[in-house]
Amino acid sequence: MTPQADPSGLPRIAVLSLGGTITTPAERPDGARPPLTAADLVSAIPELATVADVRPVVAGARMSADLRATDIAEVARWIDGARRDGIDGVVVTQGTDTLEESAYLLDLLSPGDTPVVVTGAMRNPGRPGSDGQANLLAAVRTAAHPGAVGLGVLVVLDDVVHLARAVRKTHTTATGAFVSTPGPIGSVVEDRVRLGLRPTRRSPVYVWPEQVRPAAVPLVQHCFDDDDRLLRSVGDSGADGLVLAVLGAGHVGARLLPVIDDLVARMPVVMASRTGSGDLNRISAGYPGSERDLLGRGVVSAGALDPLKARILLMSHLTAGAPLPTLAAAYEQASG
Ligand code: ASP
């Protein structure tokens, strides 16, 4: 699609749909449930025409569990092309289950300052109180707002504006399921977008070669009284790297240290806190299995990234072929 200048002077915003609950209508009497297209989503909200010149694009019709990293890399390439052609902003609609990961991957693969906003719906369009239309309208308003330029990928649901790198899905069904640490950066009220905070740095940006196989990066969570069996299996699994969700501010049981040493010798091993928020410590404790001990053994700290985001960054770094010695600095930059 080549965006042409809109004579109305409204910003040109592409709405790219990938599938998910926002495109899943209630079952018809014949049992069929044909997914809604981006054009269906847009035409259901007449108010959108007063906000932007909206260009609907169908990029897929899948639940978010079936989205792959290569799909998101393709979306990033499409956005880059549209950006060069002069689009003013892009809204991506998708399922919410993996949105915190795919939006972050899009953030890491998106060069340029054009606003990109990801949204979805917690309730499908056939249900009372469905949130898809309100979310799409708020997302388009945000993508059309001059203050959204240069912020990296944003996530807008429930009238709240989040940085993709900070947002997590924290509830199975609530419309307010998406929460950010340290907090959201803005909100949408009636026709106004309020962007009260700006990040001090952008996420690192990676370029993935076309047709590349994304790096295989398992995420293993360390639990109370677990043993090293699962971690041992990673060594010969063909994994390119590992994210270990560690306890608290950067701790593991000393029983895991031999296998961690073995894995560090074979692949990049990154630790991220299983608490899901806050920075890992670096200097506070030095006992075996503490943050200082793990860093000394060559484990890389994910800083303030939660385990899911840490995995997306490691996957991006390895797939892009970025040098391993720059990995720690990439996590530092990503931590804001
Ligand atoms: N299972 C759906 C998906 O993630 C849920 C949703 O869209 O909210 O695709």
Side-chain angles (χ1 to χ4, degrees), residues 20-21 63-64 95-97 121:
T21 292
M63 287 296 148
S64 70
T96 61
D97 286 345

Side-chain angles (χ1 to χ4, degrees), residues 1 25 27 50 54 57 72-73 75 92 96 106 108 160 174 184 201 238 267 277 288 291 327:
M1 184 196 75
E27 207 169 279
T50 66
V54 177
V57 182
I72 300 303
V75 169
V92 178
T96 61
L106 199 53
L108 296 177
V160 181
R201 334 180 219 195
M267 64 183 75
S277 60
E291 66 272 13
L327 183 59

Side-chain angles (χ1 to χ4, degrees), residues 20-22 62-65 94-98 121-122 169:
T21 292
I22 191 168
R62 271 180 275 164
M63 287 296 148
S64 70
Q94 69 149 90
T96 61
D97 286 345
T98 62
M122 294 297 294
K169 185 177 183 180

Side-chain angles (χ1 to χ4, degrees), residues 36-324:
L36 301 176
T37 63
D40 295 331
L41 295 179
V42 168
S43 64
I45 314 171
E47 203 176 332
L48 276 177
T50 66
V51 179
D53 167 18
V54 177
R55 322 276 173 104
V57 182
V58 174
R62 271 180 275 164
M63 287 296 148
S64 70
D66 290 319
L67 285 176
R68 307 304 301 262
T70 46
D71 298 321
I72 300 303
E74 214 171 293
V75 169
R77 276 192 284 274
W78 187 91
I79 292 174
D80 198 32
R83 178 178 70 83
R84 289 168 199 276
D85 289 339
I87 198 88
D88 296 304
V90 178
V91 171
V92 178
T93 67
Q94 69 149 90
T96 61
D97 286 345
T98 62
L99 192 152
E100 66 197 279
E101 291 153 279
S102 56
Y104 187 48
L105 179 56
L106 199 53
D107 190 35
L108 296 177
L109 298 180
S110 294
D113 286 342
T114 305
V116 177
V117 180
V118 185
T119 192
M122 294 297 294
R123 297 179 180 162
N124 78 44
R127 288 193 51 206
S130 67
D131 52 335
Q133 292 187 11
N135 286 345
L136 181 54
L137 179 57
V140 171
R141 285 195 195 286
T142 305
H145 192 274
V149 171
L151 295 182
V153 172
L154 303 174
V155 170
V156 174
L157 285 107
D158 207 28
D159 286 343
V160 181
V161 183
H162 307 269
L163 293 177
R165 74 168 183 238
V167 76
R168 289 188 296 140
K169 185 177 183 180
T170 63
H171 197 279
T172 50
T173 55
T175 52
F178 284 79
V179 169
S180 285
T181 305
I185 62 159
S187 59
V188 182
V189 184
E190 299 176 328
D191 60 351
R192 300 177 304 283
V193 177
R194 299 295 196 202
L195 296 171
L197 300 172
R198 293 188 77 81
T200 50
R201 334 180 219 195
R202 285 282 296 276
S203 298
V205 173
Y206 294 101
V207 178
W208 284 9
E210 276 187 57
Q211 316 295 341
V212 76
R213 172 186 74 82
V217 178
L219 164 60
V220 176
Q221 174 149 308
H222 181 25
C223 308
F224 173 72
D225 198 31
D226 57 3
D227 60 29
D228 64 2
R229 264 177 288 188
L230 190 53
L231 274 180
R232 287 223 167 274
S233 69
V234 172
D236 294 322
S237 68
D240 300 301
L242 167 72
V243 172
L244 183 57
V246 295
L247 310 180
H251 313 135
V252 300
R255 64 189 175 280
L256 297 187
L257 294 174
V259 67
I260 288 175
D261 286 342
D262 180 55
L263 289 167
V264 167
R266 297 173 180 225
M267 64 183 75
V269 177
V270 172
M271 61 172 160
S273 177
R274 71 174 199 173
T275 64
S277 60
D279 227 299
L280 291 178
N281 280 347
R282 288 182 186 170
I283 51 179
S284 297
Y287 60 83
S290 66
E291 66 272 13
R292 253 175 31 221
D293 182 46
L294 290 169
L295 291 169
R297 290 169 189 270
V299 175
V300 174
S301 171
L305 292 194
D306 70 33
L308 291 177
K309 305 269 199 246
R311 176 177 170 273
I312 295 297
L313 192 142
L314 181 55
M315 188 194 279
S316 303
H317 198 90
L318 297 177
T319 307
L324 282 183

